[in-house]
């Protein structure tokens, strides 16, 4: 696994939906790559921070803007 493949699979790893062989390759790469370790820590911190925000505090315009940005980056 390379760094690009690692980044593409972070969400599946955090959601616990990877097949065992893919998870093994993910964890093996993580053990060898400090940059991807930092990236995974940043994603975990972001998820933790955003998970604490109550959805009713997000203005509708901001919600739509975020959804549009996610759609543009969806591969």
């Amino acid at each position: 696994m390379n760094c690009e493949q690692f980044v593409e699979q972070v969400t599946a790893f955090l959601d616990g939906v990877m097949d065992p062989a893919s998870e093994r390759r993910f964890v093996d790469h993580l053990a060898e790559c400090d940059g991807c370790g930092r990236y995974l820590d940043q994603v975990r911190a972001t998820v933790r921070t955003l998970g604490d925000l109550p959805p009713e505090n997000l203005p509708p315009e901001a919600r739509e803007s975020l959804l549009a940005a996610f759609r543009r980056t969806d591969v």
Side-chain angles (χ1 to χ4, degrees):
M1 174 175 291
N2 61 35
C3 296
E4 184 177 332
Q5 293 166 328
F6 181 93
V7 168
E8 291 172 354
Q9 296 184 15
V10 164
T11 301
F13 177 75
L14 293 175
D15 289 345
V17 296
M18 296 178 95
D19 63 79
S22 295
E23 185 171 338
R24 180 78 258 151
R25 288 190 300 273
F26 187 93
V27 171
D28 287 348
H29 180 81
L30 185 60
E32 299 172 353
C33 183
D34 292 339
C36 286
R38 284 190 300 275
Y39 177 76
L40 181 60
D41 289 343
Q42 291 170 345
V43 172
R44 283 180 168 145
T46 300
V47 168
R48 192 173 40 252
T49 300
L50 294 177
D52 292 339
L53 293 175
E56 61 271 7
N57 286 353
L58 187 63
E61 303 83 27
R63 182 180 186 281
E64 287 307 314
S65 176
L66 288 171
L67 288 174
F70 289 132
R71 287 183 194 113
R72 283 191 302 270
T73 59
D74 191 23
V75 182

